Amino acid sequence: MKIKRIKENKKHNIASNTNNNLLTSSSSGSDSDHTDEDKLEEQDINSSSSSSSNKNNNDNNNNNTEEENKPPDINQSNNRDSNSEELEQTASPPRTPPPLYSEVVNNIEPPPLQISSSETESPTHSLNSSDNSNNSIVGSDINNKSDKENEKLPTVDNNQGSSNNINNNNNNNNNNNNNNKPLTEIEMSNFRSNQSVSLLHDRPSKTWFSTIKNQLIPTSGDVNAVFSVVLDNLANIASLVGILQGAYGMPIDLVTKYFIAGPALAVMIGSIALSCYAIYLDYHEKDPSVHYTAIPVGLDAPSTIGLPLLVIGPAYALAIKNGSSVQDATNSAWLVGCTTVFLIGAFKLLLTLMSFAQKQFHPVGKAGALAGIGLSLLGLNELLTIIEEPVVGWVSLWILLLILIHRQNKHGETVGISLPFNLSGVLLSALLGSAIYYLMAGVHISVNPMPTGVTDNYELTYPHPSNIFKAFADAIKQNISIAIPYAILVNIGSLTIADSANNVGNAYNTRWVLLIDSFSTIIGSFFGSTVQTTPYIGHTVFHTNFKARSGYSLISGLIIGLGGFFGYLGFLTKVLPKPAIIPIFIFIAFEICSETFHNTKGIKPHHCAAVVWSFFPSLFQFCNIYISQISPVLSNCITDPNSVATALGLQPSLIQSLGNIMIMAHGFICTSLFWGTSLAYILDNRLKKASIFLAITGVLTFFGVIHSVNPNGEVYVPWNSGSTIPYQWTAAYFLIAAITFAFSFIKAKPFHSTLTDEIGAIQANDNFYSKSF
């Protein structure tokens, strides 16, 4: 009988080791396995041997606990006697890996996984005590076990049995301690790979037809996105028409004929191309939880306003001054605008293929130049249009800001307003503003009267092919300092938009996005576009909030493109009051400046001075826009101040100030780029690199790329400029470059500002605010 009992113990130990390897949380014996004879034999077991085994087991448990610096999940019963010992083992909770990235982004709860013991080493399980021969894994709660699961472990009076029990307990401790360890990177990667594969088992195979159908059938989010994109482009076209007609007196019929169809065609080409790219990526996407949203394409707001003010309008005014007819002057200005846009597209293409030179500029210079345009041309300039109708413009602007701008409550939480059915805030503000305007105009209390004859000049138009090479030489000579910075700024903005799309799970290739935008701009310039295209910043909103796909981009592109052919875009610019649709530019200006200060990679708090410094040239350009419209005589303030004094009777000091404003305005985007970069490198204590950029600025000044003394801002060789000012500006830049380079050899030491310390001491005083206020 004793030999029989030892054999049974060996069988039990083998079963226990097998169960421990499966991370079991209970022993393999049951009360039914013991006969009355076995129980009588257990009473003869030496109590000293049992005590010794218990002591060894406890020592091993303590050692394992100290090695792992955390208690194992094994609860050993304190109720022992000399005959038997009861142990309870509590299984530790499984290590649950975090969900996949796409599930976190899209707020999708991971599906329950059926993981077997062959797939992972740490399943949640307990051994079914009712059937020892069945090693199936079940997910029952270990805390709800019945009393039958608390089994008596057999012990023997020989050393082999005691050693087996000790080894079994050690295995239990080691397995439980290993189960408490965090997942390694390899385990995490394997889990995610297995999970992705398991999710794809039940996923229906994609076909091109199903992908195209899913992407192009519009949803409510697509409809709202269409309104946003169309109204934004319509606001750009309205600004273009308003500047050419209102500021420079270009006939509205010629503006409608030449300046609308070309940009509309470029937008349609870019929208269709990026929609097809989104469909292609969606078809090849393996994760079913990821949905693709097409990147929207539209007219670039800074160049839509900047090119009419800096290129097209001055070219028209110059042609009229030289005796050209209105028709010929319009055609000449249109060709110059198309050629400048071609140059912008060519430089964007070059920057896409060769990114080394662009990377040398500091982020402050690149973002600050764009923010300066946003502040001056999109902000101040368009604000003047909004307040032409104070009631209409102010109400439309404030409704837009209340809806689109996120606020922060007293708990520091970001809050905002969500309109019913994801209605576009741009659409709502435009409709309310237009309704207020026509109500006021109907009772004759508006500033501007009700528009009349809006259908008189309505005609079908088409994109006119442009012979850009006819004006190529003049465009390079006059506008190269404008084309290059605009190309750099749009290229940078496109990079940011592509990065934000990747952050929400849409794996757009940045270079392909830039190439599509570049070719859209170039093709548009051959068909009469005087404005460059750009990817819009609305992708993240359309993807996250609207759940839009590619249908909205395709539909909006067709609406805008066909509007250029059928003439309804020009009709809408006449019908919709500009103060009601222009406020979107104020919001864009806010977003650009806010991104520059807070969210641009590479810009830190100590760069704020350099960012503000890069704004100054844009503000000079804003002033120059209106100075040039006062009188053509003022263009001679730089080279012939005496003629200005004689013609207008102005003071010499005022004439000199006006001339300095013009000098600072010429090539202002390039100036902002180099000013911001130079000062930012100084703030980063990289004086040698700052001195290089200052010297390059001097070279650009020498040839009139920036700070041109020519009334039209043209480039030149300085000895033909008729002024000594180019030599003085160049000498100034070279001198400060040399000084900066010399300072780079003086070791800068850490110091604390006395003023900062005083302010900190004052604010640290608890009674400061109560005493002051």
Side-chain angles (χ1 to χ4, degrees):
M1 181 61 66
K2 192 171 183 179
I3 295 174
K4 178 182 178 181
R5 181 63 187 134
I6 292 174
K7 290 181 179 180
E8 289 180 356
N9 285 339
K10 289 182 178 179
K11 290 181 180 180
H12 170 76
N13 291 335
I14 293 173
S16 179
N17 285 330
T18 302
N19 294 335
N20 287 331
N21 291 332
L22 291 174
L23 300 180
T24 59
S25 57
S26 60
S27 62
S28 61
S30 64
D31 292 341
S32 60
D33 294 333
H34 299 281
T35 61
D36 295 335
E37 184 179 3
D38 294 334
K39 294 180 180 179
L40 291 174
E41 288 180 358
E42 288 175 0
Q43 294 178 0
D44 297 332
I45 294 175
N46 191 348
S47 60
S48 62
S49 176
S50 176
S51 300
S52 176
S53 297
N54 292 338
K55 181 177 180 180
N56 292 333
N57 292 341
N58 291 333
D59 292 338
N60 287 326
N61 290 340
N62 293 333
N63 291 334
N64 288 329
T65 300
E66 292 175 358
E67 290 177 0
E68 298 295 336
N69 294 324
K70 56 197 304 184
D73 293 325
I74 297 177
N75 299 324
Q76 185 174 4
S77 173
N78 293 326
N79 299 325
R80 302 184 182 91
D81 53 22
S82 59
N83 298 324
S84 65
E85 172 184 329
E86 294 181 357
L87 296 176
E88 288 184 356
Q89 297 177 348
T90 303
S92 62
R95 295 172 292 163
T96 303
L100 294 175
Y101 168 78
S102 59
E103 296 168 352
V104 176
V105 171
N106 297 284
N107 295 324
I108 298 176
E109 183 178 356
L113 300 179
Q114 301 296 331
I115 306 176
S116 64
S117 59
S118 62
E119 295 174 345
T120 179
E121 295 182 355
S122 57
T124 304
H125 67 276
S126 63
L127 190 65
N128 189 348
S129 60
S130 62
D131 187 5
N132 269 341
S133 63
N134 183 13
N135 290 332
S136 62
I137 298 174
V138 295
S140 59
D141 189 354
I142 196 67
N143 294 326
N144 295 329
K145 291 190 300 184
S146 61
D147 294 335
K148 290 183 179 181
E149 290 178 301
N150 299 327
E151 301 166 3
K152 297 180 179 179
L153 297 178
T155 57
V156 293
D157 56 351
N158 55 20
N159 293 333
Q160 182 179 2
S162 177
S163 176
N164 285 338
N165 287 334
I166 293 173
N167 293 333
N168 292 342
N169 289 332
N170 289 341
N171 289 333
N172 285 337
N173 288 334
N174 292 333
N175 288 331
N176 282 284
N177 288 331
N178 290 334
N179 201 34
N180 286 332
K181 293 181 180 178
L183 286 174
T184 64
E185 293 182 1
I186 297 177
E187 291 175 330
M188 184 75 71
S189 176
N190 292 336
F191 176 83
R192 286 177 172 171
S193 299
N194 293 334
Q195 188 178 14
S196 298
V197 172
S198 65
L199 289 174
L200 292 175
H201 286 326
D202 298 329
R203 180 177 181 267
S205 60
K206 271 188 178 181
T207 63
W208 278 110
F209 177 78
S210 63
T211 303
I212 294 173
K213 179 181 177 182
N214 183 52
Q215 281 284 331
L216 296 186
I217 293 180
T219 63
S220 60
D222 286 303
V223 174
N224 291 319
V226 165
F227 281 118
S228 297
V229 175
V230 170
L231 283 175
D232 194 272
N233 281 279
L234 189 60
N236 280 302
I237 294 175
S239 296
L240 173 68
V241 173
I243 292 171
L244 295 178
Q245 180 192 8
Y248 292 97
M250 192 177 292
I252 184 62
D253 57 333
L254 295 178
V255 173
T256 304
K257 180 179 180 180
Y258 286 101
F259 292 92
I260 294 180
L265 176 65
V267 171
M268 183 173 69
I269 293 173
S271 298
I272 294 175
L274 280 178
S275 296
C276 294
Y277 186 30
I279 294 172
Y280 172 83
L281 293 176
D282 188 31
Y283 174 76
H284 290 88
E285 178 59 50
K286 301 302 182 183
D287 189 347
S289 63
V290 175
H291 82 273
Y292 271 83
T293 301
I295 295 178
V297 177
L299 301 177
D300 177 49
S303 61
T304 302
I305 298 172
L307 292 182
L309 290 171
L310 306 174
V311 176
I312 303 171
Y316 175 79
L318 181 62
I320 292 293
K321 181 181 178 181
N322 293 334
S324 300
S325 64
V326 173
Q327 174 71 39
D328 292 340
T330 302
N331 191 24
S332 175
W334 170 68
L335 279 177
V336 171
C338 294
T339 307
T340 304
V341 170
F342 172 80
L343 292 175
I344 293 174
F347 280 116
K348 287 198 296 185
L349 182 61
L350 185 64
L351 290 171
T352 301
L353 300 177
M354 301 176 61
S355 59
F356 171 77
Q358 179 181 329
K359 293 179 180 179
Q360 303 306 311
F361 289 97
H362 197 282
V364 168
K366 295 182 288 189
L370 181 61
I373 295 174
L375 178 64
S376 59
L377 301 186
L378 270 69
L380 294 175
N381 188 67
E382 296 304 306
L383 185 61
L384 295 178
T385 303
I386 291 173
I387 60 178
E388 288 179 0
E389 287 283 350
V391 177
V392 176
W394 220 240
V395 170
S396 299
L397 173 62
W398 230 247
I399 289 175
L400 188 71
L401 296 182
L402 288 173
I403 295 173
L404 296 185
I405 290 183
H406 290 166
R407 305 185 292 274
Q408 205 171 56
N409 60 17
K410 63 181 181 180
H411 303 294
E413 300 170 337
T414 301
V415 297
I417 296 176
S418 297
L419 296 177
F421 310 107
N422 283 331
L423 186 65
S424 170
V426 179
L427 175 63
L428 179 62
S429 66
L431 292 177
L432 289 178
S434 299
I436 294 173
Y437 167 74
Y438 279 103
L439 179 63
M440 296 179 64
V443 295
H444 305 288
I445 59 174
S446 62
V447 176
N448 296 315
M450 182 83 71
T452 57
V454 293
T455 59
D456 293 345
N457 296 319
Y458 189 91
E459 61 178 344
L460 299 180
T461 58
Y462 60 91
H464 293 265
S466 59
N467 184 12
I468 61 175
F469 300 103
K470 182 179 179 180
F472 202 78
D474 291 337
I476 292 178
K477 183 172 65 173
Q478 297 173 1
N479 304 318
I480 191 69
S481 62
I482 296 174
I484 295 177
Y486 267 128
I488 293 175
L489 297 179
V490 172
N491 193 270
I492 295 168
S494 301
L495 287 172
T496 303
I497 293 166
D499 289 342
S500 66
N502 279 270
N503 290 337
V504 295
N506 287 184
Y508 284 98
N509 185 291
T510 303
R511 178 161 291 185
W512 276 107
V513 174
L514 297 178
L515 288 174
I516 290 173
D517 175 54
S518 300
F519 281 111
S520 299
T521 300
I522 293 174
I523 294 173
S525 68
F526 282 108
F527 289 93
S529 177
T530 56
V531 180
Q532 68 169 329
T533 59
T534 184
Y536 269 7
I537 60 175
H539 175 271
T540 304
V541 176
F542 296 158
H543 178 276
T544 306
N545 297 344
F546 291 176
K547 306 299 181 184
R549 296 187 182 271
S550 297
Y552 86 93
S553 180
L554 182 64
I555 294 173
S556 60
L558 291 175
I559 291 175
I560 296 167
L562 295 178
F565 285 90
F566 293 103
Y568 56 78
L569 286 181
F571 172 76
L572 290 175
T573 59
K574 300 175 185 177
V575 172
L576 294 176
K578 292 182 180 61
I581 61 176
I582 291 298
I584 183 61
F585 290 121
I586 305 299
F587 175 74
I588 294 174
F590 287 169
E591 287 294 301
I592 292 174
C593 294
S594 177
E595 288 289 322
T596 299
F597 279 105
H598 299 295
N599 299 324
T600 301
K601 184 179 180 181
I603 297 182
K604 300 178 181 179
H606 71 275
H607 291 135
C608 287
V611 174
V612 176
W613 179 238
S614 65
F615 289 172
F616 285 5
S618 298
L619 297 177
F620 284 121
Q621 175 59 34
F622 173 74
C623 298
N624 185 49
I625 290 171
Y626 292 94
I627 291 173
S628 61
Q629 298 179 38
I630 295 174
S631 174
V633 178
L634 292 175
S635 61
N636 298 321
C637 288
I638 303 172
T639 56
D640 191 8
N642 293 329
S643 63
V644 177
T646 302
L648 301 179
L650 300 178
Q651 295 294 326
S653 59
L654 178 59
I655 296 174
Q656 185 179 10
S657 297
L658 294 175
N660 290 333
I661 290 175
M662 294 177 185
I663 291 175
M664 299 303 298
H666 291 159
F668 73 102
I669 304 177
C670 199
T671 306
S672 296
L673 186 63
F674 279 88
W675 278 16
T677 297
S678 300
L679 186 55
Y681 280 129
I682 290 175
L683 294 174
D684 287 340
N685 198 31
R686 301 173 67 182
L687 302 186
K688 290 184 176 66
K689 199 162 188 177
S691 65
I692 294 174
F693 276 91
L694 289 172
I696 295 174
T697 309
V699 174
L700 297 177
T701 303
F702 191 69
F703 295 101
V705 178
I706 62 175
H707 306 328
S708 175
V709 298
N710 186 280
N712 299 319
E714 298 178 1
V715 296
Y716 46 69
V717 288
W719 46 88
N720 293 333
S721 64
S723 174
T724 60
I725 294 178
Y727 296 98
Q728 297 179 26
W729 272 102
T730 303
Y733 277 115
F734 283 158
L735 185 58
I736 63 175
I739 294 173
T740 304
F741 185 77
F743 266 78
S744 66
F745 295 97
I746 302 175
K747 185 176 181 181
K749 299 179 181 180
F751 74 97
H752 299 284
S753 174
T754 305
L755 179 60
T756 303
D757 293 340
E758 291 178 356
I759 293 175
I762 293 174
Q763 292 181 347
N765 188 347
D766 295 335
N767 298 326
F768 171 71
Y769 290 102
S770 61
K771 291 179 180 179
S772 301
F773 302 102

